[in-house]
Amino acid sequence: MAGAVTLIDEFTRAPAKLLGSSRDGDWIELLTSRPANTLVRNLNTRWAVLRFDETLMPVTINELEYENSYVCSPYGACVLYPQTEVKKVGNVVVRGLVRGLTVSLAPLLRAAQINRIVCVNNWLL
């Protein structure tokens, strides 16, 4: 027999009984009770919660936010984060290669709208 699946977002306003009083429920309540950027400064996302029977999973929903944290942005993970981190590499050749690769990849990823994404079970880790 299949379990019950419930999507809870800002439009459905979850009653407390749906979130429960578990550690996960407390954490999800914290995540969903305020805008994401009040918890993580460079994060722009919309929250939801997917409940499958007694299991709660946070969901991040993004459209086309390209200046965003890598925790919910494939563009941020593939372009912005490497560009930031490669500045710490001492090898000029490696820095140039990574920079060239990310600059070349960026327009392709934008054209593919890679940041139009829903991440299920995204605990922002």
Side-chain angles (χ1 to χ4, degrees):
M1 184 167 138
V5 177
T6 307
L7 180 67
I8 305 162
D9 62 11
E10 71 264 26
F11 304 111
T12 57
R13 297 287 181 225
K17 68 178 181 168
L18 278 181
L19 292 179
S21 60
S22 67
R23 185 179 70 197
D24 288 350
D26 293 342
W27 178 242
I28 288 174
E29 185 177 346
L30 170 71
L31 291 178
T32 59
S33 66
R34 60 203 72 205
N37 64 2
T38 62
L39 297 170
V40 180
R41 183 176 38 92
N42 65 335
L43 180 61
N44 183 12
T45 192
R46 196 163 48 97
W47 292 108
V49 177
L50 189 63
R51 180 178 176 156
F52 179 74
D53 290 333
E54 298 303 314
T55 303
L56 299 172
M57 293 178 279
V59 176
T60 55
I61 304 164
N62 287 83
E63 293 295 327
L64 299 174
E65 303 87 359
Y66 289 103
E67 297 297 320
N68 208 352
S69 173
Y70 68 91
V71 297
C72 67
S73 165
Y75 183 85
C78 295
V79 175
L80 302 177
Y81 185 71
Q83 287 178 350
T84 301
E85 290 299 308
V86 79
K87 294 173 186 173
K88 300 173 185 176
V89 175
N91 187 319
V92 177
V93 174
V94 171
R95 281 199 317 254
L97 287 172
V98 171
R99 177 82 175 136
L101 180 61
T102 57
V103 166
S104 300
L105 193 57
L108 297 172
L109 296 177
R110 283 178 178 256
Q113 297 183 344
I114 194 168
N115 269 17
R116 183 166 284 203
I117 188 168
V118 174
C119 296
V120 177
N121 208 23
N122 187 350
W123 293 89
L124 303 181
L125 302 175

